[in-house]
Amino acid sequence: ATEMTPLIPDDRRALVNGSGEGAVLVNNDGGNIEVGDLIVSSSRLGIGMKQSDDIIRNYSVAKATTSHDFNNNYDEVLIGCIYLM
C-alpha cells in the first residue's frame, strides 16, 4: 500500500476522483495509448491499461484524453482521461 503525506497533520481523508476529467496511471500491457482509447484495469493493482476494443463496457474505467507511446519500455505513466460511470 502506498502512503500519502497529508497536507494537514493527522488528516485521515482519502482523495478520490469520481467523475469528469482527471488522470489515470497506466502501463503498456495493452499497448500504446491514443486519444479516445478506453482504459481498463491491468494485472498490476491500481494501474490501468488500454482496453482491447472501443466498446464501453461495465469494466471500462476511463477514456484517454492524451496519447502515450511506450517505446517498448514497461513504463507507468499518468495520462489525462475522462472517467466513465
Side-chain angles (χ1 to χ4, degrees):
T2 303
E3 184 154 335
M4 294 177 45
T5 303
L7 297 175
I8 302 169
D10 299 321
D11 189 352
R12 306 283 299 166
R13 292 177 289 177
L15 302 175
V16 178
N17 290 333
S19 64
E21 292 184 28
V24 62
L25 190 60
V26 294
N27 64 27
N28 69 343
D29 283 356
N32 293 330
I33 296 175
E34 301 294 329
V35 172
D37 285 342
L38 295 174
I39 307 299
V40 296
S41 297
S42 74
S43 60
R44 305 235 9 236
L45 185 62
I47 311 294
M49 67 178 205
K50 178 180 173 179
Q51 184 173 305
S52 62
D53 62 26
D54 61 353
I55 300 169
I56 295 176
R57 303 183 186 279
N58 63 341
Y59 52 82
S60 302
V61 175
K63 182 180 276 195
T65 58
T66 55
S67 300
H68 185 74
D69 183 346
F70 289 98
N71 294 318
N72 298 319
N73 294 325
Y74 190 80
D75 295 344
E76 291 175 355
V77 63
L78 196 63
I79 63 165
C81 72
I82 298 172
Y83 301 112
L84 303 175
M85 295 304 244

